[in-house]
Amino acid sequence: MTSGPSAFIPSKEMLKEGPDQDILIESFLSLGRVDHITMVMALHHAYLSCFLRTQHALFELDGPLPHHWRHYIAIMAAARHQCSYLVQQHSAGFLEAGGEESWLSGLEHAPTKLRSLQTLNKLLAHRPWLIAQQHIQELVCPGAEPRWSLAELIHAVILMAHAHSLCSFVWGCGIKPEPDHIGGYTFAPHSPSRLSHSPHSPLADGVMEVEVLMKRMVELQQQQLQQQEEEEEECTQEEMVTRFERERSESIPTGTDMFASHSFMLRLVEDPGFRYEDFAPRGEQAPPTMRAQDYSWEDHGFSLVNRLLPDMGQLLDEKFQVVSDLTYHRMAMHEGVDTYTLRKALWNYIHCLYGIRYDDYDYGSVNVLLERSLKVFVKTVACHPEQTTARVYCSFWRHFRHSEKVHANLIVMEARLQAALLYPLRAITHYMR
Amino acid sequence: MEKMSRVTTALSSNAISGRTMFCHLDAPANAISVCRDATQVVVAGRNIFKIYALEEEQFVEKLNLRVGRKPSLNFSCADVMWHQMEENLLATAATNGAVVTWNLGKPSRNKQDQLFTEHKRTVNKVCFHPTEVYMLLSGSQDGFMKCFDLRKKESVSTFSGQSESVRDVQFSMKDYFTFAASFENGNVQLWDIRRPDRYERMFTAHTGPVFCCDWHPDDRGWLATGGRDKMVKVWDMTTNRPKEIYCVQTIASVARIKWRPERKFHLATCSMMVDHNIYVWDVRRPFIPFATFEEHKDVTTGIVWRHQHDPHFLLSGSKDSTLYQHMFKDATRPVDKANPEGLCFGLLGDLAFAAKESLISSDVNRKPYPGGDRRYPIFFFKKPDPTEQFAHVSSALSVFETDLNSNHMDWFVKTAQLYLLSGKPFAELCDHNAKVAQELKRPQVSTTWTMLRIMFSDPANLTATGPNHNLSSKLGTLPLMNSFSMKEMGTESRLERSKGESRPDNTHLEPGTSHISNNNEENEETEGSEGQAEYMFGDAELDDDELYSMEHDNQTVLLSNTVLSLLPLPNRHEAEVTCLTPIESFSLISISQPLYSPHLPGSFFCPIAREMLSYYAEQGDVQMAVSVLIVLGERIRKEIDDLTQEHWYMSYIDLLQRFELWNVSNEVIKLSTCSAITCLNQASTTLHINCSNCKRPMSNKGWICDRCHQCASVCAVCHHVVKGLFVWCQGCSHGGHLEHIMNWLKSSAHCPAGCGHLCEYT
């Protein structure tokens, strides 16, 4: 096993990319350690600083939920994706905040109020589009026992969504256990994050891939310009819907083998068989799509979050903003490239996997820009993060820098967070109506 | 005047009348627009695009523009506008980025006229030029605004906002060439339609997206904007820099904004989230809406005044799939429900009271204020503004001053400072506090402390006895005593209390214990004479005997400790001991009946203590209530519900802070057991540090400033960084650790830094 924070990225790569020292010092001073997540994220320090701020506000600052509860909710959420890294991180945080140790040995020891989150947690992790008004009502309405207040609930929802998407990042970047974790330097049965590390072998046609992608991006941009000028070749709505549906229901083979996960995590999960399910091909009772124009983060989600949990909306908004604007104007060995269309395609593809559709986006470009191995990676990380393997990580974008792959991971993580948040927020809005 | 006549002609030619009414739409509406003569309204949404005629009593569906079996996304409208000159012309903004115009004069069923698909993303807004027939402007999510000439097939000019997402575009009503655009990043830009290369001016209007803007219909310089930050702002654009002249804070993000016709200062707003009402504000009175319409069940998405010169009709569409016509006379007027009276106590007991003037003057033969008879009536008059339609309330403010001697609060401050609340054994705290109260001439309080001490002192601490060996010998006698005290004290204490209350306060003035013991004797006389008590002896004896023998085994374990236990048993064995060694304080009560109180568990007195606390709190002496609460701690905490405790704490802390007794208030916060209180001093605990050298803020990276690379505040003696108290000479500004400097000055009078200054410290 290589040293360094990630099982996928050689440690000398991390050093070469030269993370910003200051931000690491700052996080060391505030956390007392620089954990592996921070080290990998430090490749994009603009993002790291607002990520740390949000995490700090979620877990440490004033809020409606007691501190140990916050960690416990994060544990419950991380356990759904069998992410032993986060479970252990938050277990430590939970005990530090004065939580009772027995809770960690199983869900049945936790208070009923926390356990009542299980359904929401399950849906949020795997099929958020099923979250409806009555799920909120069950927890919040005056008759509910134990009853959640709206502020508590929204805090819990954000905590869960945060933890779920962070799981995607942990698995997607192959974050290795901390030294004090099981599977770190402690002797214990190995964590499932152990991966056969295949050497990063550039293949001959790898160079070709980059060139092809570059060409396609340029073509696509020109095409759009042309369309403006000629205004013909306009797709029918039928065609647009078909393109969206095709992306959404395209069967991307993701790993199917279930890992035998740690027993300590199994005890924190209820109904472990509940997973992300591919959308049925069109016609077969496809769940309704959410139209981005009808409920968006900018117009609706933000206001709701900020109303119930002051400042949190601002922090999340900033984080989404930073991720969607993050670019170094380069691609693999090319400099000065406008990667906007590629980033947009990634973001919208993930939203598409979660059933969110933009009327004003042509999903045909997803197919053009995202090659199959990348789609496999994105879908695995976004929907079944626990099945990510080094092979999946290595086989896409073979000529890209590791930092660029981490960038892709960040986009996946944030797009997933936003997509997953929108459904419960919409349900809460409907409940408040 | 000229305008007025025009209005009347406009109105008379086609008199607008109607009532508050609504109709159900089949789908949620996104926007509505009304035609020039105010007879028809168009409703557009994702799944609806219809024209309704406004009739006297109802809406009548005139036309469904959404035709075809599978309507394309071009029908999915984000916005709609009816041309104000050409009554057959409509424009819509589609969510897929298309701008579509519709010609109602077309004979076919499909009225679609032109289709512009130049925008790459959703178009948020379309706007016709107010006077030019063929000019249409659109603003899109892709950051571009486009101006179309409807006689041509494509846009004539494109304006780049250099930013994501245009949320609103509005042609100026008065300046032919000007339009305003609002952006998601909080900016508002003004453009000249002839110059697509660059905006004329730009300013930041809101934090977060500016969802809407609207030019004032009459005043050319005024632009109203509304944003996600819940603000409505009115800007004067005639000045060099746009100046914010009015600001209204609403309760939810502002989605639409429309100036009210014929009312210079009125505008209507609705929100995008949570709040479903429509508000009409008078911008000069930003704290309360002038009128509200509360009919909608889901967020209102479109508002429009029915006629551009009639202020009485407002139309609105909503996500709840209804279309409403609101009559202004049916609006709710929040101001009518507002309470124009105000009352506030000053720190030293002064009282300020503001009320409607009419109320005060009518009340001439009111009783004089008992505290002091000085009173300053201050009258405020707002110059009545005829255009302002708010009901006028002129209030009179009266200030009642209290007599300085009758009610001054020195005792409060002294008490707060001198009381000990923790850090010593319970009995000592009580004694100390009793003494403090005594010195401040508050005998009742002092007595209370003493009583508390007696009631709750743990007798086990006073004397150590071997409990086990005399158990058996006590079996006979002890139960008697216990049962007596158990049953008797209930009635007794009540009796005692009622006496205490009926007694006038001034009997307390005489200090000293003799007085108290007198009282007690008095009480006890009556107690002793009660025959009932004796009757109970026998009864209880049996019960207790049984009880006692049953519990016998556990007894040895229980004996030595708990006073809090509800069973009276553990205290029994102390009885004899305390009788043998009378202790001063006990003697107060136990003069005539030495068997009494010391043998009762503290919990027994809890109901009394609780009543006592409530009594003090109700009397306004929340200081006493909280102090006792803290000193008694666990002994009483469970007896009083958390909310009451919290309330007491909050009041006391508030008082302390008004008197600027920060230390005491912090101590109280720290000692409180309510979680809501203890978290008070956990908030905003960040200390921002500036470098002592370059005076700029230090980031939290150790003690070296990253700008000037100097150690912050080095001690002149040990040359290490001072991380705690730093003391320095005001003459030479050298200094260091407090201790080091003190030591240094013992041996030398010169500055330790070697600057030669003769340092002076006070």
Side-chain angles (χ1 to χ4, degrees), chain A residues 54-61 67 70-71 74 90 159 162:
Chain A
T54 312
Q55 182 142 298
H56 178 68
L58 266 181
F59 289 98
E60 309 299 333
L61 295 185
H67 287 88
R70 303 181 194 185
H71 287 287
H90 285 293
L159 280 169
H162 175 84

Side-chain angles (χ1 to χ4, degrees), chain A residues 29 237 291 293 359-360, chain B residues 46 71 95 122 167 228 700:
Chain A
L29 285 171
Q237 157 163 27
R291 308 293 191 109
Q293 272 80 4
D359 281 351
D360 52 2
Chain B
R46 173 173 291 284
T95 50
T122 299
R167 297 311 299 243
R228 194 172 68 180
N700 50 349

Side-chain angles (χ1 to χ4, degrees), chain A residues 22-23 25-26 29-30 62 221 224-225 227-229 231 234 236-238 240-241 282 291-304 306-307 314 317 321 325 340 344 357-361 425 429-430 432-433, chain B residues 30 46-47 70-74 76 95-97 115-123 141 146 153-154 164 167 184 209 211 228 230 251-253 272-276 297-299 319 679 682-684 699-702 706:
Chain A
D22 284 358
I23 197 106
I25 294 172
E26 196 178 307
L29 285 171
S30 57
D62 292 345
Q221 274 158 357
Q224 278 166 353
L225 284 176
Q227 245 180 40
Q228 261 172 41
E229 282 153 23
E231 201 195 304
E234 189 236 334
T236 60
Q237 157 163 27
E238 192 78 350
M240 297 295 262
V241 174
R282 213 147 77 89
R291 308 293 191 109
Q293 272 80 4
D294 288 351
Y295 200 94
S296 68
W297 167 257
E298 288 81 12
D299 291 4
H300 306 91
F302 172 88
S303 303
L304 183 65
N306 237 20
R307 185 185 196 87
Q314 203 68 49
D317 199 41
Q321 202 94 140
D325 294 346
Y340 176 78
K344 196 81 206 160
R357 180 176 158 208
Y358 292 83
D359 281 351
D360 52 2
Y361 190 74
L425 292 180
T429 310
H430 285 181
M432 287 167 78
R433 190 162 63 190
Chain B
N30 276 348
R46 173 173 291 284
N47 294 313
K70 288 218 162 172
S72 86
L73 270 181
N74 296 339
S76 165
T95 50
N96 65 350
L115 177 69
F116 304 98
T117 49
E118 297 185 23
H119 285 295
K120 287 199 218 77
R121 310 239 359 233
T122 299
V123 179
Q141 199 74 15
K146 285 178 187 288
K153 283 197 140 178
E154 58 200 50
E164 278 249 312
R167 297 311 299 243
E184 201 147 284
F211 286 138
R228 194 172 68 180
K230 307 178 189 172
I251 57 167
S253 58
M272 192 177 275
M273 279 290 292
V274 190
D275 187 16
H276 309 157
K297 305 279 185 295
D298 198 345
V299 285
K319 286 259 190 226
C679 73
Q682 307 291 311
S684 69
S699 46
N700 50 349
K701 290 167 197 160
D706 53 349

Side-chain angles (χ1 to χ4, degrees), chain A residues 353-370:
Chain A
L353 291 174
Y354 276 89
I356 296 173
R357 180 176 158 208
Y358 292 83
D359 281 351
D360 52 2
Y361 190 74
D362 177 4
Y363 287 85
S365 33
V366 169
N367 223 15
V368 178
L369 294 176
L370 310 192

Side-chain angles (χ1 to χ4, degrees), chain A residues 258-270:
Chain A
M258 292 284 285
F259 286 103
S261 78
H262 283 304
S263 53
F264 72 82
M265 275 195 291
L266 275 180
R267 267 174 288 155
L268 295 165
V269 181
E270 191 180 71

Side-chain angles (χ1 to χ4, degrees), chain B residues 296-491:
Chain B
H296 285 297
K297 305 279 185 295
D298 198 345
V299 285
T300 311
T301 47
I303 47 175
V304 62
W305 296 94
R306 186 171 161 188
H307 191 277
Q308 25 175 334
H309 295 294
D310 188 336
H312 302 298
F313 295 84
L314 180 69
L315 300 171
S316 68
S318 157
K319 286 259 190 226
D320 65 3
S321 305
T322 56
L323 173 66
Y324 259 92
Q325 169 170 280
H326 310 277
M327 293 291 293
F328 213 83
K329 63 173 165 51
D330 296 336
T332 319
R333 302 295 182 99
V335 82
D336 296 341
K337 294 177 193 155
N339 180 4
E341 274 88 42
L343 177 73
C344 190
F345 263 111
L347 191 54
L348 298 168
D350 297 346
L351 177 73
F353 175 59
K356 269 190 196 165
E357 202 191 335
S358 53
L359 261 176
I360 292 213
S361 51
S362 68
D363 195 13
V364 187
N365 46 2
R366 146 185 54 88
K367 278 181 223 153
Y369 181 60
D373 24 23
R374 290 212 288 164
R375 151 172 187 245
Y376 307 107
I378 304 167
F379 292 94
F380 290 111
F381 288 109
K382 227 182 144 193
K383 210 171 147 202
D385 186 341
T387 60
E388 194 175 297
Q389 293 188 320
F390 266 93
H392 268 278
V393 180
S394 57
S395 313
L397 175 71
S398 316
V399 177
F400 302 96
E401 265 192 351
T402 40
D403 187 3
L404 268 183
N405 298 320
S406 72
N407 207 355
H408 81 126
M409 294 285 281
D410 277 0
W411 61 268
F412 177 87
V413 179
K414 288 229 175 75
T415 315
Q417 283 166 338
L418 294 174
Y419 268 3
L420 281 181
L421 300 178
S422 65
K424 284 192 176 170
F426 171 71
E428 281 180 49
L429 290 178
C430 289
D431 280 347
H432 175 90
N433 293 344
K435 223 170 85 197
V436 169
Q438 193 70 60
E439 277 160 11
L440 290 167
K441 303 216 166 40
R442 303 174 71 210
Q444 189 178 0
V445 174
S446 168
T447 314
T448 310
W449 281 113
T450 319
M451 296 284 286
L452 280 173
R453 184 200 139 152
I454 296 162
M455 288 170 173
F456 288 92
S457 273
D458 184 354
N461 291 341
L462 299 174
T463 41
T465 47
N468 296 339
H469 55 81
N470 49 9
L471 255 181
S472 52
S473 63
K474 280 179 192 157
L475 260 173
T477 54
L478 283 172
L480 279 182
M481 181 191 69
N482 262 305
S483 59
F484 172 76
S485 34
M486 282 286 285
K487 307 234 158 95
E488 203 62 12
M489 275 306 275
T491 52

